[in-house]
Amino acid sequence: RTIDGKAWTKVNANCGSTSFVVSDLISGQEYFFRVRAENRFGVGPPAETIQRTTARDPIHPPDPPIKLKIGLVTKNTVSLTWKPPKNDGGAPVTHYNVECLHWDRTGEVKEAWKQCNRRDVEETKFTVEDLVEGGEYEFRVKAVNIAGPSRPSATVGPLVVKDQTCPPSIELTEFMEVEEGTDVNIVAKVKGIPFPTLTWLKASPKKPDDKTPVQYDQHVNKLVSEDTCTLLIQQSRRSDTGLFTITAVNNLGTASKEMRLNVLGRPGPPVGPIKFESIFADQMTISWLPPLDDGGSKITNYVIEKKEANRRTWVPVTNEPKECIFTVPKLMEGHEYVFRIMAQNKFGIGEPLDSEPETARNLFTVPGPCDKPTVSSITHDSMTVNWEEPEHDGGSPVTGYWLERKETTGKRWTRVNRDPIKPMTLGVSYKVTGLIEGSEYQFRVSAINAAGVGPPSMPSDPAIARDPIAPPGPPIPKVTDWTKSSVDLEWTPPLKDGGSRITGYIVEYKEEGKEEWERVEIRGTKFVVAGLKEGCFYKFRVRAVNAAGIGEPGECTDIIEMKDRIVAPDINLDATVRDRIVVHAGGVIRIIAYVSGKPAPTVTWSRDDRALPEEAKIEETAISSSLVIKNCKRSHQGIYTLLAKNAGGERKKAIIVDVLDVPGPVGMPFLTENLTNDSCKLSWFTPEDDGGSPITNYIIEKRESDHRAWTPVTYTVTRQNATVQGLTEGKAYFFRIAAENIIGMGPFTETPKELIIRDPITVPDRPEDLEVKAVTKNSVTLTWNPPKYNGGSDITMYVLESRLIGKEKFHRVTKEKMLDRKYTV
């Protein structure tokens, strides 16, 4: 069976020898095996393997590492690199051992390979340290797996250990071209001993001599390895185009290389403004200049779109123009249009350039501007706008007007009317509806004749959309608290706000006997008046303020004397705590109480009118007192009382705490009684402590006296007795029982002595080892041992019988009750 499985699987039909090859196993899976002998009477008990066995191929030491190379050499160190072995021997290489051989040209010292690493080398590189300057060394590496070390690799050397120096040199691609949005890796191969200091510089292609250091951030970063330096540009942009220079410096010299990076993308917007070369009632000719940034690729064409000024949707016009001029056809006379132009290259369409609004019209003279309009009849959602005809009608009668509005905080004007407003003989007025209450608006008017729409008038004076307003009514204040030098005021807003939002309040107070009121301006509906004189009497009142001015005062009815206030204690339990809380054992008892009063009350906790348990902790703040017991037990339950006292009196609060736990051990005695040759009866008493919850079940387990493992007998017993079936006659058993409630299972209680399973009471077996110890002419002395089995009850007496040789019948010798195991006849 596998180590995770429970069922055993038979792997052979028959096997006559004492060895067997188990096939069809899963590679890497761990297994247990067991063997049972069989004869003509049946199958014997199994013998199991103790250790788990993994199904895998045989493991051998790995091959030697390959491509061992020498890197940086100093006066006392050598850096080595190598490649892993081609064959790992069937198990992963766990580490490497590096060895060196110190050449002795004099022959005075015996040459021998020595291990250089004190710890296992897990990477394929290592720096050998503590070498002798000027000494000659050879190096080799061994790979190690679970089967052991490999043969050594090919050696490198001999090498004279001394400082190596080399001026810096750089290999770098001179040109790179990428598409915008891709990641760019500019890799420079760097050599130099000691390893040089590396700096990246950037310059604009138009100013190659103006080089500045590259600023590293999430967009641009520098990665340095043993022989390379990479400039990584994430999600490249057009602005990353430039000349990049890397400079390497060490104490032997300086080297630098330059490369050009082109990031290609969509073009920028054309250069404006868009000019209207000609305007007609049905077409307009527009012109523009090419974009300053062509995206690094030739502009192939321009895309032109249009929309009416009072609409949001853009309509395609054409994508064919290759020059910077185009005539837009099929316009509707009198409509105001906005055009936008976008350049296109092989990477896509660039940003747009928008024109100013322009009206499709014939070249007739449009009317002049009207005088500045006026606003009247203002409500919260409407205004009436009034204006006069323009002085100049452009040679054609005015046929209508366009009325526009805008909020003073905005920039774009919006037409109010869908159709032109008809002119009137005595001036024109128009009621504008659908306004937002509280917003400030301006209006302007444009006259229309056969030639088109004239210029707009000057904007009207700003007007706020609101109903006619008046100062607000009086607030309703009250004093909520006071000390010897301060008063806490609260008030409700006035019932009438005068038709305008309340913007603030004015708190006024004065000392009794004085005429002048002190004033404080605030925004909220609460305020603490501080700095008052102890022992003096004060009056208080509050006024509301809106856009129309200051309202009537609301006065406090009471005159307040400045002295400390005494308030009896008050206790309020937190919402999570009621008069009773239930906690599971091991949890946290947390009782939070909010305590108020003046002066601040003293707080005392107790349990059942006695001191708190040692585990209890009291946490206090300015407004609360909390009792906390972590990892609580059954013994922590009880009635917890909180007492708050001050000069104004005292207040108590009691909280019942129930702690639920698993039951205690079952009540003694725990009795066992033989019933038959394969069953017994167990009886017990309920636990003294049910854990705070009714007993729901009893769990019974058994074990043979010569075994250690316990085996469940039953999981569902609700009475205080049970009959255990399926026992083996003659076997000795121990039993144990545990009570269970909704919280869990309590501790086990074990039978004090073993119980041998037999029928309740039978006649005893025959006595053992009857022997003659002494013989005289008229007596015989006999001895014997007790029977192996007493029949389930103690031996009460022995009966001795005799018969003459040749006779068949035995006669009883002893008449008295005999318990000794020795008798002389």
Side-chain angles (χ1 to χ4, degrees):
R1 68 177 177 89
T2 62
I3 61 170
D4 298 324
K6 294 184 178 179
W8 290 90
T9 303
K10 189 173 182 180
V11 298
N12 66 309
N14 51 53
C15 176
S17 63
T18 56
S19 64
F20 185 77
V21 176
V22 180
S23 59
D24 298 327
L25 299 180
I26 299 173
S27 178
Q29 180 67 57
E30 295 179 319
Y31 293 90
F32 288 113
F33 300 91
R34 71 180 186 183
V35 179
R36 293 195 286 181
E38 184 178 15
N39 62 12
R40 63 192 181 90
F41 293 104
V43 181
E48 296 185 20
T49 55
I50 299 174
Q51 295 181 342
R52 59 185 67 179
T53 303
T54 304
R56 63 186 179 190
D57 292 332
I59 299 175
H60 304 286
D63 289 350
I66 59 175
K67 296 184 179 180
L68 178 62
K69 294 182 180 180
I70 295 175
L72 179 64
V73 180
T74 67
K75 63 182 179 181
N76 53 13
T77 65
V78 173
S79 295
L80 302 174
T81 60
W82 59 89
K83 299 291 184 182
K86 293 182 178 179
N87 179 15
D88 61 5
V93 173
T94 58
H95 63 276
Y96 298 91
N97 289 330
V98 180
E99 297 179 345
C100 70
L101 175 66
H102 188 183
W103 283 43
D104 183 17
R105 299 292 185 181
T106 62
E108 296 177 359
V109 179
K110 184 178 180 181
E111 297 177 351
W113 288 94
K114 295 182 179 180
Q115 185 169 316
C116 305
N117 54 302
R118 297 178 182 176
R119 297 181 180 177
D120 294 343
V121 179
E122 297 181 354
E123 299 179 335
T124 56
K125 61 182 180 180
F126 183 70
T127 299
V128 182
E129 300 176 341
D130 299 330
L131 301 178
V132 179
E133 184 176 5
E136 288 187 78
Y137 291 87
E138 272 190 276
F139 300 93
R140 67 185 187 186
V141 181
K142 294 180 180 179
V144 182
N145 66 5
I146 193 172
S150 69
R151 292 179 287 106
S153 67
T155 63
V156 292
L159 171 74
V160 177
V161 177
K162 61 181 180 180
D163 280 334
Q164 294 182 353
T165 58
C166 175
S169 64
I170 302 173
E171 293 181 18
L172 181 64
T173 303
E174 294 183 354
F175 182 77
M176 183 181 295
E177 196 170 73
V178 298
E179 187 174 347
E180 186 177 15
T182 60
D183 293 343
V184 179
N185 291 325
I186 304 175
V187 182
K189 293 184 178 180
V190 182
K191 295 180 181 179
I193 302 176
F195 193 77
T197 301
L198 302 173
T199 305
W200 284 96
L201 304 174
K202 180 184 177 183
S204 170
K206 297 180 180 179
K207 297 180 181 179
D209 296 329
D210 188 10
K211 299 180 179 179
T212 58
V214 174
Q215 300 297 320
Y216 303 112
D217 52 22
Q218 293 183 348
H219 177 57
V220 181
N221 203 354
K222 179 176 74 172
L223 302 176
V224 180
S225 63
E226 291 185 353
D227 58 352
T228 63
C229 179
T230 302
L231 189 66
L232 175 61
I233 303 176
Q234 304 276 2
Q235 297 291 314
S236 59
R237 310 165 186 158
R238 279 284 294 155
S239 58
D240 294 323
T241 298
L243 299 173
F244 288 87
T245 303
I246 182 172
T247 303
V249 180
N250 68 8
N251 56 4
L252 298 178
T254 301
S256 64
K257 283 284 186 178
E258 184 178 87
M259 68 88 63
R260 167 71 180 264
L261 173 64
N262 274 359
V263 180
L264 307 180
R266 297 179 299 171
V271 177
I274 296 175
K275 295 182 179 180
F276 293 88
E277 302 293 342
S278 64
I279 301 174
F280 297 95
D282 61 347
Q283 66 180 32
M284 296 186 195
T285 300
I286 55 177
S287 65
W288 61 92
L289 296 175
L292 297 176
D293 179 15
D294 63 1
S297 179
K298 180 181 177 181
I299 300 296
T300 57
N301 59 287
Y302 292 92
V303 177
I304 302 176
E305 296 178 346
K306 70 178 179 182
K307 77 178 182 73
E308 294 189 33
N310 59 351
R311 296 189 178 181
R312 295 183 178 180
T313 305
W314 290 92
V315 179
V317 175
T318 182
N319 60 357
E320 296 179 356
K322 294 179 171 51
E323 303 298 329
C324 295
I325 189 169
F326 185 77
T327 298
V328 182
K330 299 180 181 179
L331 301 179
M332 298 181 68
E333 184 177 1
H335 284 232
E336 191 175 28
Y337 291 92
V338 177
F339 302 92
R340 71 178 182 185
I341 303 168
M342 296 161 283
Q344 184 173 4
N345 63 10
K346 67 177 183 179
F347 295 104
I349 299 174
E351 296 296 320
L353 168 67
D354 290 6
S355 73
E356 292 295 326
E358 185 58 67
T359 304
R361 68 191 186 280
N362 292 316
L363 295 178
F364 301 138
T365 303
V366 296
C370 299
D371 291 337
K372 182 169 74 172
T374 60
V375 179
S376 62
S377 302
I378 300 173
T379 69
H380 68 281
D381 63 349
S382 67
M383 298 180 189
T384 300
V385 184
N386 311 289
W387 67 91
E388 300 291 337
E389 288 189 1
E391 292 184 7
H392 303 284
D393 61 4
S396 177
V398 174
T399 58
Y401 298 92
W402 291 119
L403 178 58
E404 297 176 303
R405 78 179 185 202
K406 78 175 184 70
E407 295 185 34
T408 55
T409 56
K411 294 183 179 181
R412 185 174 292 276
W413 289 90
T414 305
R415 279 189 182 173
V416 172
N417 51 313
R418 292 185 178 181
D419 299 319
I421 301 170
K422 294 180 179 181
M424 302 177 186
T425 55
L426 299 176
V428 186
S429 64
Y430 185 82
K431 184 176 181 179
V432 181
T433 59
L435 303 180
I436 300 173
E437 185 176 4
S439 296
E440 192 173 32
Y441 292 93
Q442 287 181 293
F443 299 89
R444 69 182 186 183
V445 180
S446 301
I448 307 170
N449 67 3
V453 181
S457 67
M458 292 291 293
S460 66
D461 293 331
I464 299 175
R466 63 186 176 194
D467 291 329
I469 60 174
I476 306 172
K478 64 178 180 179
V479 176
T480 58
D481 199 4
W482 67 86
T483 68
K484 63 183 178 182
S485 61
S486 66
V487 170
D488 291 10
L489 291 176
E490 286 187 13
W491 56 92
T492 56
L495 299 176
K496 296 182 179 179
D497 60 5
S500 176
R501 182 175 59 87
I502 302 295
T503 58
Y505 295 91
I506 296 175
V507 176
E508 298 180 329
Y509 61 94
K510 74 171 184 175
E511 186 179 345
E512 191 175 28
K514 293 186 178 181
E515 296 295 331
E516 186 176 352
W517 290 84
E518 301 287 340
R519 301 180 61 176
V520 181
E521 295 184 8
I522 64 169
R523 291 187 177 273
T525 57
K526 294 181 181 180
F527 186 67
V528 177
V529 183
L532 303 179
K533 297 178 182 178
E534 184 176 1
C536 294
F537 292 85
Y538 284 87
K539 291 183 177 181
F540 300 89
R541 69 185 186 185
V542 182
R543 297 173 183 263
V545 181
N546 67 4
I550 302 173
E552 291 296 319
E555 300 198 9
C556 294
T557 56
D558 298 330
I559 299 176
I560 305 301
E561 181 182 3
M562 292 296 97
K563 62 181 181 180
D564 283 333
R565 185 183 179 196
I566 296 177
V567 179
D570 189 23
I571 300 174
N572 291 305
L573 297 178
D574 187 76
T576 59
V577 181
R578 302 255 177 113
D579 292 338
R580 174 189 295 269
I581 62 174
V582 179
V583 185
H584 286 192
V588 178
I589 298 174
R590 187 183 300 276
I591 305 174
I592 303 175
Y594 298 100
V595 183
S596 61
K598 287 194 175 184
T602 58
V603 177
T604 306
W605 289 85
S606 62
R607 186 190 68 170
D608 298 332
D609 297 329
R610 293 192 295 273
L612 293 174
E614 294 181 358
E615 298 85 356
K617 303 294 181 185
I618 304 299
E619 301 174 355
E620 293 189 348
T621 67
I623 61 171
S624 68
S625 179
S626 303
L627 181 142
V628 180
I629 302 178
K630 297 180 179 179
N631 196 19
C632 63
K633 306 173 185 176
R634 280 277 290 164
S635 58
H636 291 146
Q637 68 180 8
I639 300 176
Y640 288 79
T641 304
L642 172 62
L643 174 63
K645 275 186 180 182
N646 69 359
E650 66 178 42
R651 182 75 180 273
K652 277 187 178 182
K653 197 73 173 182
I655 305 97
I656 300 173
V657 177
D658 288 333
V659 180
L660 303 183
D661 199 355
V662 298
V666 299
M668 299 301 287
F670 181 18
L671 302 177
T672 59
E673 178 185 353
N674 267 320
L675 290 180
T676 66
N677 60 358
D678 64 348
S679 66
C680 70
K681 181 180 179 181
L682 306 179
S683 58
W684 60 91
F685 292 90
T686 56
E688 293 183 4
D689 181 11
D690 63 0
S693 178
I695 302 299
T696 59
N697 186 34
Y698 293 92
I699 296 173
I700 303 173
E701 294 182 351
K702 69 180 180 181
R703 73 174 177 88
E704 296 179 16
S705 60
D706 54 351
H707 291 179
R708 293 186 178 181
W710 290 92
T711 305
V713 172
T714 178
Y715 292 103
T716 54
V717 177
T718 57
R719 299 168 299 175
Q720 281 75 53
N721 59 75
T723 299
V724 181
Q725 304 283 352
L727 304 177
T728 303
E729 183 176 6
K731 288 280 188 179
Y733 290 90
F734 285 96
F735 298 90
R736 66 180 185 181
I737 185 170
E740 187 177 24
N741 62 10
I742 60 171
I743 306 302
M745 185 178 72
F748 279 100
T749 298
E750 189 175 338
T751 53
K753 61 181 180 178
E754 63 184 24
L755 173 67
I756 299 175
I757 303 303
R758 294 187 184 276
D759 285 331
I761 298 178
T762 62
V763 295
D765 289 349
R766 66 182 183 181
E768 300 287 332
D769 304 323
L770 178 63
E771 293 183 4
V772 176
K773 291 297 184 181
V775 178
T776 66
K777 63 182 180 180
N778 58 358
S779 68
V780 176
T781 301
L782 304 171
T783 63
W784 60 91
N785 289 324
K788 291 183 178 180
Y789 174 58
N790 61 8
S793 178
D794 295 334
I795 300 297
T796 58
M797 63 180 290
Y798 291 94
V799 176
L800 184 62
E801 295 178 341
S802 67
R803 70 179 173 88
L804 292 172
I805 300 300
K807 300 291 185 180
E808 292 183 358
K809 189 174 180 180
F810 279 89
H811 298 277
R812 183 168 179 173
V813 175
T814 57
K815 295 181 180 180
E816 69 274 16
K817 188 175 183 179
M818 182 177 64
L819 283 175
D820 292 338
R821 294 193 299 275
K822 183 177 180 181
Y823 190 80
T824 301
V825 181

